Amino acid sequence: MQKKVKNIAVTFSFLIALAFLVGMCVKMYMHPVATSDSERRPLAQFPEEITWESIVDRTSIEKFEDYSVDQFPFREFFRSLKAKFHLNVLGLDENNGLAVKDDYIAKIEPEFTDELVDYSLGRLQYVYEKFLKDNGGDKFVAIVPDKNYFLGKEYGYPSPNYDKLLEKVNEKLPEMYHINFFDVLELEDYYRTDTHWSQDKIGAVAETLLEAMGAADRVTGNYKENTLYPFYGVYYGQSALNPEPDTITYLTSDILDQCTVYDYETGKTSGIYDYEKFEGKDGYDFFLSGTKALLRIDNPNATTDEELIVFRDSFGSSITPLLAEGYKSVYLVDIRYVMPDMLDRFIDFEGKDVLYIYSALILNSKSFK
């Protein structure tokens, strides 16, 4: 009798578990999740069309495998369990391409891809030849190292060859003056859960740039520190480790408070910092409202008529305000979001200084138009 009760209990438990699993799979099929907020990427969906040909060439099978992994019930729980098991139990140095050292999370890239770097530098070459070569201003280029540079240098993690990257930059843009600020940066100057640097930690970077561009004597550097919390960087969700969020420390001054930012896309004028954006999906968009094709910072208190054009990625959003005091106007161009051939419709390049400032991660991607 006792054995019969035990068998019934086991069978009943199995049927409940099976019914639950079937129910979750039905839910997964009927109500798939479109995007992962934690990973900041779209999730795979059920294959739109399954044919005999797509089964034979495995395209439908591969799409279904991606779909089943992305839409699996309690996926976030299992992602977190896997990450903590790999790092804390197995003692691995990384999980899904992310390394964690002293609470700093960074993407591991063993090497830069020549094809991607050549393409990116080729686009910058094109802009130089079309608009800058004969404009009369001074031209500068600076590369921002990723956190993986410091993990490799200080802790022996796999790191791409930055010397080779800088050599390529000099080779492709030989007429631009290369500003190197690697020596004034360290791992602690970056957010723990994000790719970007923290504005309050890059004063030495700003000074290096201003000195090289001949504008240091026009900038006081008298700033007040302000904070916003919590900031969930891009690696916060991707790591699945639920780390402590970062704090954004941003700098203000009487001069910066009076600067205005004109957005050529919307025709609207705002301030340097966008407090509403901090509450959005990416809190780093707080700086200059995030990804924008073309902006202009106007400084009504400028002691000069000189203007600067900054070709940049998102790293430029937080460093450029620290340069603004030294110029009458600073134009910010992101050629990931605007066709370079259109730029002379909005900017008169004649006589203006130009700064290229790009992160190594962006150069190692096919982001530019």
Side-chain angles (χ1 to χ4, degrees):
M1 181 66 181
Q2 189 175 15
K3 184 177 180 180
K4 182 177 180 181
V5 171
K6 181 180 177 181
N7 289 339
I8 292 174
V10 170
T11 303
F12 188 68
S13 299
F14 173 76
L15 291 175
I16 290 178
L18 183 62
F20 177 77
L21 182 61
V22 170
M24 293 302 298
C25 290
V26 170
K27 181 179 182 297
M28 178 180 76
Y29 178 77
M30 298 298 295
H31 304 285
V33 180
T35 60
S36 169
D37 290 336
S38 62
E39 297 172 270
R40 299 186 187 181
R41 70 174 180 88
L43 296 179
Q45 304 296 302
F46 193 85
E48 294 182 1
E49 183 179 4
I50 298 178
T51 63
W52 176 251
E53 290 78 10
S54 66
I55 294 175
V56 171
D57 64 19
R58 293 190 56 82
T59 55
S60 291
I61 296 174
E62 291 171 359
K63 287 180 179 180
F64 181 80
E65 289 175 350
D66 292 339
Y67 159 79
S68 61
V69 171
D70 276 5
Q71 301 292 340
F72 193 81
F74 306 109
R75 180 171 175 273
E76 290 301 317
F77 169 77
F78 287 110
R79 284 185 64 241
S80 177
L81 188 65
K82 172 180 174 289
K84 292 176 180 178
F85 181 76
H86 277 195
L87 296 173
N88 300 329
V89 178
L90 298 182
L92 300 180
D93 290 334
E94 57 88 21
N95 178 61
N96 290 336
L98 295 179
V100 182
K101 188 66 179 180
D102 296 336
D103 294 330
Y104 283 84
I105 307 171
K107 181 180 180 182
I108 294 180
E109 278 194 85
E111 195 50 80
F112 296 122
T113 303
D114 287 339
E115 180 184 358
L116 295 175
V117 173
D118 289 341
Y119 176 83
S120 299
L121 292 177
R123 298 308 294 156
L124 298 182
Q125 275 183 305
Y126 176 79
V127 172
Y128 177 87
E129 293 292 333
K130 187 171 182 64
F131 299 113
L132 311 180
K133 187 175 182 179
D134 301 314
N135 79 324
D138 294 324
K139 296 94 177 174
F140 308 91
V141 58
I143 305 303
V144 183
D146 183 65
K147 286 190 285 188
N148 57 36
Y149 171 78
F150 303 99
L151 288 181
K153 182 179 178 181
E154 299 174 22
Y155 301 107
Y157 279 80
S159 177
N161 190 335
Y162 277 85
D163 290 335
K164 181 180 177 181
L165 175 66
L166 297 182
E167 287 176 6
K168 277 204 169 192
V169 172
N170 288 327
E171 175 189 332
K172 299 291 185 180
L173 301 166
E175 297 180 39
M176 301 188 78
Y177 180 80
H178 182 199
I179 306 173
N180 190 323
F181 44 63
F182 282 32
D183 290 342
V184 299
L185 276 172
E186 56 187 6
L187 181 62
E188 290 73 18
D189 296 331
Y190 295 71
Y191 296 113
R192 291 178 295 99
T193 67
D194 198 60
T195 59
H196 297 101
W197 51 22
S198 183
Q199 191 187 55
D200 62 307
K201 303 288 184 63
I202 54 175
V205 174
E207 290 175 11
T208 302
L209 291 171
L210 291 164
E211 285 283 353
M213 296 189 295
D217 60 340
R218 303 195 295 264
V219 177
T220 63
N222 295 326
Y223 300 113
K224 175 186 175 183
E225 292 188 358
N226 313 267
T227 59
L228 292 169
Y229 179 87
F231 168 47
Y232 301 97
V234 65
Y235 295 145
Y236 180 89
Q238 289 181 5
S239 70
L241 294 171
N242 194 31
E244 179 69 22
D246 277 292
T247 296
I248 285 184
T249 301
Y250 64 100
L251 306 178
T252 58
S253 68
D254 291 340
I255 292 176
L256 285 185
D257 290 345
Q258 295 178 55
C259 287
T260 58
V261 180
Y262 179 74
D263 186 338
Y264 285 83
E265 292 181 72
T266 64
K268 295 181 180 180
T269 300
S270 62
I272 286 176
Y273 303 118
D274 190 333
Y275 294 88
E276 290 186 5
K277 290 284 187 177
F278 177 72
E279 304 296 336
K281 288 186 177 181
D282 188 352
Y284 185 78
D285 287 348
F286 165 78
F287 296 100
L288 292 175
S289 299
T291 53
K292 294 286 184 177
L294 183 58
L295 302 173
R296 187 186 71 240
I297 302 176
D298 292 319
N299 176 13
N301 297 298
T303 59
T304 179
D305 288 330
E306 291 196 34
E307 297 181 313
L308 175 69
I309 303 172
V310 179
F311 287 84
R312 54 89 182 207
D313 55 24
S314 54
F315 277 80
S317 296
S318 53
I319 188 70
T320 306
L322 306 186
L323 312 178
E325 186 180 346
Y327 295 90
K328 177 184 177 182
S329 294
V330 179
Y331 297 81
L332 294 101
V333 183
D334 194 334
I335 60 173
R336 295 175 297 171
Y337 304 103
V338 60
M339 294 298 295
D341 290 339
M342 300 175 59
L343 292 176
D344 57 353
R345 301 184 190 180
F346 308 101
I347 302 175
D348 178 7
F349 288 90
E350 189 63 31
K352 293 180 177 61
D353 290 348
V354 175
L355 170 65
Y356 283 172
I357 183 165
Y358 286 101
S359 68
L361 288 183
I362 288 296
L363 292 183
N364 194 42
S365 67
K366 202 167 184 177
S367 298
F368 296 137
K369 291 187 177 182

